[in-house]
């Protein structure tokens, strides 16, 4: 499903089947998948954190985005490595004729973009940057947050060069950085770095190729310096080198082949806990680095059988090699993976293939056009995922740990079947659809009670490999023409997990299915626009969803000389439901053709009703009693004003 460029992730999140756990979340949940089961690509590079400023802003500058494609059912064979979806974003080329640009200044952010020819009609560039100055807003939050600070910036640079009619080169660079603290001295920072080079070669009118290579990096750090003796800095980073070769071959007007290969080299530094400053007495602790190679070969065939029927079949074979140098723990066979059951540790040299996984993945889809405005589409996918995210979903800090599959943690696998019915009305001005899906997952990681996720030297002892299933129905009504336009989407979905293996070390909820942390059965989104005139329009965005599951304390008991908390079954309760309304107005200047600049104003309010949507519920022991609190990120209406200039 294609999305328009402005507010990339906001548009994607209004589509049926796409959710988020709440404000301050940096990931999407697509068709019952966890946030790490989505592959987000920006000009072929992987983006591991897609949000700025607690999720209010997308990591992607809409001024440089060309197109956005979300694959959530019929995923092409050229994509792999994730179970749920692929969000493929590409930036546009700069103007090859003349220098143009745009700028904007607002209450929270400013932006500047400029583009033009380096060599007229052959080489062009586009350079864009954004930054924020939102501390004045945080100072107006309730007392417990008014001393908080937050800032971000991102920079895009794209250069395209036409060598000749058959060869073109594209260079892309992206850099982003966020910093914030929440009313204390603990400072958080995270950032993306991506650089890529692509070569397009046209062999003839039937065959062309796209060869791309690049480097991706995501890192975060947390530091505290208020107490010099205990000052520390916690860091994590993941680095990737990739090479992709893709070929399109047009046999005839009804028959197209796609094939290629790609390889990806991972290098992770899973964690370092170091003293900060010369007076710190913190003991240094550095986790062992990880390396792996993920490769794939693929072939797909798209064939139009008739004017009514088209089919596509694809085969992708993925191979994963977990590599040295490193140490790997071995555990007693048939026993739970716990520290007590470690039987030995083996050292591996640099470049050694420690563990290899490989499997075929199948992609099949078909479309049948029943009438001029009625069609059916069905699809089946199998997927493999070799990298896992370990995160505490109740934390606002971007402290997700990415863990590679190894001899003790298996790759995730899954398959999905989907069926959709699509109907257009009123000369195709109104589009409607209903889709159903069912998905199975295997080796999805959940956590043992009291698990330690950060700075854990044997994380496999604190995680559990679960089985899961997800199913749902997605409805969409969309009108994109006329003075009144927009869409309404509704999703009913469930994601249920089960851990009933007695050898795993812990059985969750007596071996019964339980909802995943991000399971939100009902989700409704309304997007409406009304254009009063060619210069003035109003937009309204409303969203409602079921509160996500949590585990609550339900009592206390006395054991071993102290009182301890008794918890309910995992994820047996839910936080209150989520509801938010946003409104905005766009006021254009005059539309005279011959003028140096075209100006406009955007005025709006985020969370118009000021609803204090809880992001999480937490409990604190106070004076011998356990008290519960709701944590809201944006518990008030937030106005914004932007002045936009195009030149």
């Amino acid at each position: 499903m294609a999305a328009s460029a402005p507010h990339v992730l906001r548009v994607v999140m209004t589509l049926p089947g796409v959710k988020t756990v709440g404000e301050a979340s940096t990931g999407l949940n697509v068709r019952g998948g966890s946030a790490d089961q989505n592959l987000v690509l920006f000009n072929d590079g992987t983006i591991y954190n897609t949000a700025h400023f607690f999720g209010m802003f997308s990591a992607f500058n809409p001024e440089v985005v060309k197109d956005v494609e979300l694959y959530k059912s019929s995923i092409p064979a050229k994509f792999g490595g994730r179970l749920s979806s692929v969000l493929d974003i590409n930036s546009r080329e700069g103007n090859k004729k003349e220098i143009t640009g745009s700028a904007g200044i607002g209450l929270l952010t400013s932006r500047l973009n400029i583009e033009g020819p380096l060599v007229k009609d052959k080489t062009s560039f586009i350079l864009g940057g954004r930054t924020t100055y939102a501390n004045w807003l945080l100072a107006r939050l309730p007392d417990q947050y008014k001393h908080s600070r937050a800032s971000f910036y991102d920079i895009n640079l794209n250069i395209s060069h036409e060598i000749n009619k058959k060869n073109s080169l594209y260079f892309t660079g992206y850099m982003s950085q966020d910093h914030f603290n929440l009313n204390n001295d603990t400072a958080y920072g995270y950032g993306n770095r991506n650089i890529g080079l692509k070569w397009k070669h046209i062999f003839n009118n039937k065959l062309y190729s796209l060869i791309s290579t690049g480097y991706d990096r995501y890192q975060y750090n947390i530091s505290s310096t208020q107490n010099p003796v205990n000052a520390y800095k916690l860091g994590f980073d993941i680095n990737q080198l990739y090479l992709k070769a893709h070929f399109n071959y047009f046999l005839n007007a009804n028959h197209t082949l796609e094939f290629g290969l790609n390889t990806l080299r991972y290098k992770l530094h899973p964690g370092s806990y170091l003293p900060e400053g010369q007076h710190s007495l913190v003991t240094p602790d550095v986790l062992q680095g990880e390396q792996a190679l993920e490769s794939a070969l693929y072939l797909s065939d798209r064939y139009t059988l008739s004017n009514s029927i088209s089919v596509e079949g694809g085969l992708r074979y993925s191979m994963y090699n977990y590599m040295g140098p490193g140490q790997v723990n071995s555990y007693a066979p048939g026993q739970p993976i716990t520290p007590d059951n470690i039987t030995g540790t083996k050292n591996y040299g640099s470049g050694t293939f420690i563990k290899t996984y490989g499997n075929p993945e199948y992609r099949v889809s078909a479309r049948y056009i029943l009438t001029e405005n009625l069609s059916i589409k069905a699809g089946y996918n199998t997927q493999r995922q070799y990298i896992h995210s370990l995160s505490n979903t109740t934390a606002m800090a971007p402290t997700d740990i990415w863990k590679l599959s190894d001899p003790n943690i298996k790759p995730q696998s899954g398959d999905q079947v989907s069926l959709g019915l699509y109907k257009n009305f009123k000369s195709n001005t109104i589009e409607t659809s209903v889709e159903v899906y069912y998905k199975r997952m295997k080796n999805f990681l959940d956590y043992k009670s009291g698990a330690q996720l950060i700075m854990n030297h044997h994380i496999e002892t604190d995680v559990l490999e679960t089985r899961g299933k997800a199913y749902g129905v997605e409805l969409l009504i969309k009108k994109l023409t006329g003075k009144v336009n927009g869409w309404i989407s509704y999703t009913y979905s469930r994601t249920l997990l089960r851990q009933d293996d007695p050898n795993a070390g812990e059985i969750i909820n007596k071996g019964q299915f339980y909802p995943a942390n991000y399971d939100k059965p009902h989700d409704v989104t309304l997007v409406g626009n009304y254009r009063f005139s060619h210069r003035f329009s109003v937009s309204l965005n409303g969203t409602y969803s079921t509160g996500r599951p949590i585990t609550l304390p339900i009592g206390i008991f006395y054991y071993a000389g102290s009182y301890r908390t008794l918890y309910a079954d995992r994820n047996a309760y839910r936080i209150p439901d989520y509801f938010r309304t946003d409104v905005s107005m766009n006021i254009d200047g005059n539309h005279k053709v011959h003028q140096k600049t075209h100006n406009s104003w955007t005025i709006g309010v985020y969370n118009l009703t000021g609803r204090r949507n809880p992001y999480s519920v937490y409990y604190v022991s106070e004076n011998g009693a356990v008290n519960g609190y709701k944590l809201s990120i944006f518990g008030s209406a937030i106005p914004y004003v932007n002045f936009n200039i195009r030149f």
Side-chain angles (χ1 to χ4, degrees):
M1 171 108 189
S4 60
H7 308 294
V8 172
L9 293 185
R10 289 290 178 85
V11 175
V12 171
M13 286 190 289
T14 65
L15 301 177
V18 183
K19 305 181 182 183
T20 180
V21 296
E23 286 155 346
S25 170
T26 60
L28 303 175
N29 302 110
V30 179
R31 286 195 168 177
S34 60
D36 70 320
Q37 291 177 351
N38 307 300
L39 178 62
V40 181
L41 297 174
F42 186 39
N43 297 318
D44 287 332
T46 304
I47 305 296
Y48 278 92
N49 195 316
T50 58
H52 293 307
F53 196 70
F54 312 113
M56 276 195 68
F57 299 96
S58 163
F60 309 104
N61 185 343
E63 298 289 341
V64 304
V65 170
K66 175 187 176 184
D67 55 55
V68 181
E69 196 78 21
L70 175 67
Y71 302 96
K72 58 181 181 177
S73 55
S74 301
I75 299 176
K78 66 180 180 179
F79 297 119
R82 299 294 190 275
L83 291 193
S84 290
S85 75
V86 177
L87 184 62
D88 188 25
I89 304 172
N90 293 287
S91 58
R92 59 186 180 87
E93 297 182 38
N95 193 320
K96 291 185 178 181
K97 300 291 186 181
E98 59 183 351
I99 297 290
T100 62
S102 64
I105 184 169
L107 298 177
L108 299 178
T109 64
S110 288
R111 68 183 189 279
L112 175 64
N113 304 281
I114 187 169
E115 59 184 287
L118 294 174
V119 178
K120 194 170 184 179
D121 296 327
K122 291 186 69 71
T123 308
S124 67
F125 77 96
I126 180 169
L127 175 66
R130 298 184 299 170
T131 189
T132 189
Y133 31 81
N135 290 335
W136 69 269
L137 173 64
L138 298 177
R140 285 160 175 77
L141 294 177
D143 289 344
Q144 62 266 40
Y145 299 113
K146 69 179 183 180
H147 297 297
S148 301
R149 295 290 182 267
S151 65
F152 77 81
Y153 71 84
D154 59 38
I155 301 172
N156 291 270
L157 174 62
N158 303 327
I159 299 174
S160 59
H161 174 62
E162 183 181 301
I163 301 173
N164 52 45
K165 294 299 182 182
K166 290 192 173 184
N167 294 278
S168 298
L169 288 176
Y170 306 90
F171 169 85
T172 59
Y174 173 71
M175 179 171 63
S176 72
Q177 189 67 46
D178 279 67
H179 296 283
F180 68 90
N181 68 67
L182 296 174
N183 209 39
N184 55 42
D185 79 303
T186 303
Y188 300 84
Y190 63 91
N192 295 287
R193 303 287 187 275
N194 302 82
I195 188 170
L197 184 65
K198 181 185 293 185
W199 170 36
K200 181 178 181 179
H201 177 64
I202 300 174
F203 293 92
N204 50 52
N205 60 357
K206 289 190 173 184
L207 177 65
Y208 77 85
S209 65
L210 291 170
I211 311 295
S212 60
T213 184
Y215 169 75
D216 307 323
R217 174 181 170 86
Y218 172 69
Q219 59 82 29
Y220 78 73
N221 59 77
I222 304 170
S223 61
S224 176
T225 57
Q226 184 176 25
N227 185 341
V229 175
N230 297 322
Y232 70 89
K233 185 173 184 178
L234 177 70
F236 165 89
D237 63 77
I238 177 171
N239 306 270
Q240 297 181 170
L241 286 171
Y242 65 85
L243 176 65
K244 302 178 182 180
H246 176 78
F247 298 85
N248 271 61
Y249 184 60
F250 301 96
L251 288 172
N252 52 55
N254 297 322
H255 207 162
T256 302
L257 293 176
E258 293 188 4
F259 55 94
L261 58 91
N262 53 58
T263 186
L264 176 64
R265 172 68 184 266
Y266 294 104
K267 188 171 185 179
L268 276 73
H269 299 107
S272 60
Y273 183 72
L274 303 173
E276 183 77 354
Q278 59 182 351
H279 300 293
S280 177
L281 300 181
V282 166
T283 302
D285 186 14
V286 178
L287 297 183
Q288 171 183 278
E290 292 190 296
Q291 297 76 221
L293 192 65
E294 181 181 337
S295 306
L297 290 167
Y298 62 88
L299 170 66
S300 67
D301 185 1
R302 185 166 62 250
Y303 185 48
T304 302
L305 297 172
S306 67
N307 292 333
S308 300
I309 302 175
S310 60
V311 296
E312 183 171 355
L315 176 64
R316 177 185 179 90
Y317 190 89
S318 63
M319 179 173 289
Y320 172 86
N321 304 103
Y322 186 70
M323 303 170 63
Q327 295 181 336
V328 177
N329 294 327
S330 56
Y331 296 84
Q335 297 296 315
I337 297 181
T338 65
D340 294 336
N341 289 330
I342 296 177
T343 58
T345 300
K346 187 174 181 179
N347 292 300
Y348 293 88
S350 178
T352 305
F353 284 2
I354 300 174
K355 181 67 176 181
T356 297
Y357 296 99
N359 275 92
E361 304 171 19
Y362 306 99
R363 317 288 169 82
V364 181
S365 64
R367 184 176 184 179
Y368 181 45
I369 300 175
L370 298 170
T371 67
E372 184 178 319
N373 52 23
L374 178 64
S375 62
I376 296 176
K377 187 175 182 180
Y380 175 73
N381 295 322
T382 63
Q383 306 282 141
R384 302 277 290 186
Q385 180 169 333
Y386 300 101
I387 187 169
H388 317 257
S389 175
L390 310 177
S391 64
N392 180 354
T393 58
T394 64
M396 289 184 295
T399 54
D400 295 358
I401 300 295
W402 290 85
K403 175 72 180 74
L404 295 174
S405 296
D406 61 25
N408 295 311
I409 295 181
K410 299 175 184 176
Q412 300 180 59
S413 61
D415 60 352
Q416 176 188 244
V417 60
S418 61
L419 178 66
L421 180 67
Y422 309 88
K423 171 73 173 177
N424 293 350
F425 297 91
K426 293 189 175 182
S427 301
N428 295 326
T429 60
I430 297 177
E431 302 175 8
T432 66
S433 65
V434 55
E435 298 182 63
V436 297
Y437 68 89
Y438 184 86
K439 180 190 298 184
R440 295 179 297 184
M441 296 179 288
K442 187 178 179 182
N443 298 328
F444 176 77
L445 293 185
D446 207 343
Y447 316 114
K448 296 180 180 179
S449 300
Q452 176 188 340
L453 303 182
I454 299 177
M455 298 305 299
N456 189 331
H457 288 264
H458 38 77
I459 190 68
E460 66 270 13
T461 64
D462 275 2
V463 299
L464 297 166
E465 294 176 345
T466 68
R467 294 179 288 123
K469 61 181 180 179
Y471 53 88
V473 180
E474 303 167 357
L475 305 174
L476 178 66
I477 303 174
K478 180 166 58 174
K479 180 179 183 291
L480 295 180
T481 60
K483 280 195 168 185
V484 179
N485 59 74
W487 61 89
I488 301 174
S489 67
Y490 168 74
T491 304
Y492 173 79
S493 66
R494 298 303 312 269
T495 307
L496 304 173
L497 304 175
R498 170 180 275 181
Q499 169 48 256
D500 56 359
D501 182 2
N503 293 324
E506 180 178 328
I507 295 179
I508 300 177
N509 291 10
K510 303 180 180 64
Q512 302 300 311
F513 278 107
Y514 63 95
N517 292 340
Y518 48 88
D519 174 74
K520 300 168 69 175
H522 300 283
D523 186 274
V524 182
T525 298
L526 167 66
V527 177
N529 307 290
Y530 183 77
R531 179 168 291 279
F532 289 89
S533 68
H534 67 286
R535 293 180 58 186
F536 180 63
S537 62
V538 175
S539 298
L540 178 72
N541 180 20
T543 182
Y544 162 84
S545 63
T546 309
R548 64 180 182 82
I550 55 172
T551 305
L552 296 183
I554 57 175
I556 58 175
F557 62 96
Y558 191 81
Y559 178 76
S562 63
Y563 285 99
R564 302 175 185 270
T565 303
L566 176 65
Y567 284 89
D569 286 346
R570 183 169 298 191
N571 293 343
Y573 295 87
R574 294 182 180 272
I575 65 174
D577 294 349
Y578 182 93
F579 176 75
R580 194 190 79 244
T581 302
D582 309 326
V583 65
S584 66
M585 297 180 292
N586 194 72
I587 306 169
D588 286 332
N590 67 66
H591 285 225
K592 293 180 180 179
V593 176
H594 301 292
Q595 56 183 346
K596 292 184 178 180
T597 63
H598 294 269
N599 307 328
S600 66
W601 290 87
T602 303
I603 305 170
V605 181
Y606 178 89
N607 192 17
L608 180 65
T609 62
R611 179 178 170 88
R612 300 180 64 86
N613 287 298
Y615 177 76
S616 66
V617 177
Y618 63 95
Y619 289 80
V620 179
S621 179
E622 299 173 326
N623 300 320
V626 178
N627 298 319
Y629 296 90
K630 293 188 296 184
L631 173 63
S632 298
I633 308 304
F634 300 117
S636 59
I638 301 176
Y640 59 89
V641 177
N642 289 298
F643 179 61
N644 311 299
I645 306 172
R646 289 192 176 276
F647 54 88

